[in-house]
Amino acid sequence: MIRGINQDIAEDEVERRVAARLARQQILRRAEPPKLHVILDEGLLHRPVGGPRVMRNQLRFLAEAAEEPNITVQVLPRTVGASPALEGPFSILTLPDPIPDVGYSEGPGRAVYIEDRELVRTYTLRFAILTEHSLSQVDSMNKLAEAAESYG
């Protein structure tokens, strides 16, 4: 995926980014892990990145991760059509009180932390809409399993 986004990237930079992502995943395995709620667009399940074996393994990994009590994975079905997801990926970081929630968005060449409370509220409302339109956790896991099987 990293090479697909930036085809001129050096191999050592790819390895560094992969190592960083794997290290960040360990946060979810701590004794008191943070909660993670992810909404995936269904189209991502059918966009082969890395070949069939990689896709099958990644989708199974997501399904296994979602079995953890601190992780929720939902799939936003294609049938929803236009939704707040079309504006691009974003995160809402909820930190311990008294620290207010923070929004986070990234795109080509930029990463932005959003601290303005009204903008964070807008992101929170977008997330609520996406949660409502997404499949339940059970139906999402079925969709992940179905997609994984389609890769052999």
Side-chain angles (χ1 to χ4, degrees):
M1 183 176 85
I2 294 167
R3 187 163 311 286
I5 293 169
N6 183 352
Q7 296 168 1
D8 297 331
I9 194 169
E11 188 61 34
D12 63 327
E13 179 63 13
V14 171
E15 290 175 17
R16 187 188 70 74
R17 289 184 187 188
V18 169
R21 287 179 183 201
L22 292 172
R24 283 193 304 261
Q25 287 178 12
Q26 296 309 308
I27 293 169
L28 296 170
R29 291 177 171 53
R30 288 194 276 195
E32 292 187 38
K35 292 182 181 178
L36 176 66
H37 188 154
V38 177
I39 299 175
L40 299 172
D41 188 282
E42 184 180 1
L44 295 173
L45 308 181
H46 306 289
R47 182 173 296 125
V49 175
R53 189 176 117 258
V54 170
M55 284 298 293
R56 183 176 57 251
N57 290 341
Q58 287 293 312
L59 292 168
R60 287 178 178 165
F61 177 82
L62 280 171
E64 287 174 20
E67 291 175 6
E68 296 298 323
N70 61 308
I71 299 175
T72 301
V73 177
Q74 288 183 278
V75 174
L76 180 67
R78 288 184 282 196
T79 56
V80 168
S83 75
L86 293 177
E87 282 194 78
F90 66 93
S91 300
I92 301 166
L93 311 172
T94 301
L95 304 167
D97 285 333
I99 303 168
D101 291 353
V102 175
Y104 176 79
S105 181
E106 59 184 56
R110 66 172 177 82
V112 179
Y113 286 94
I114 299 127
E115 296 182 31
D116 177 272
R117 290 193 180 199
E118 278 307 307
L119 286 174
V120 173
R121 183 175 177 278
T122 300
Y123 277 89
T124 302
L125 291 172
R126 286 175 59 197
F127 188 78
I129 291 167
L130 293 170
T131 300
E132 284 182 29
H133 285 90
S134 295
L135 300 175
S136 69
Q137 175 96 352
V138 171
D139 289 343
S140 294
M141 293 308 95
N142 291 337
K143 189 66 77 172
L144 285 175
E146 180 185 300
E149 291 307 312
S150 75
Y151 290 102

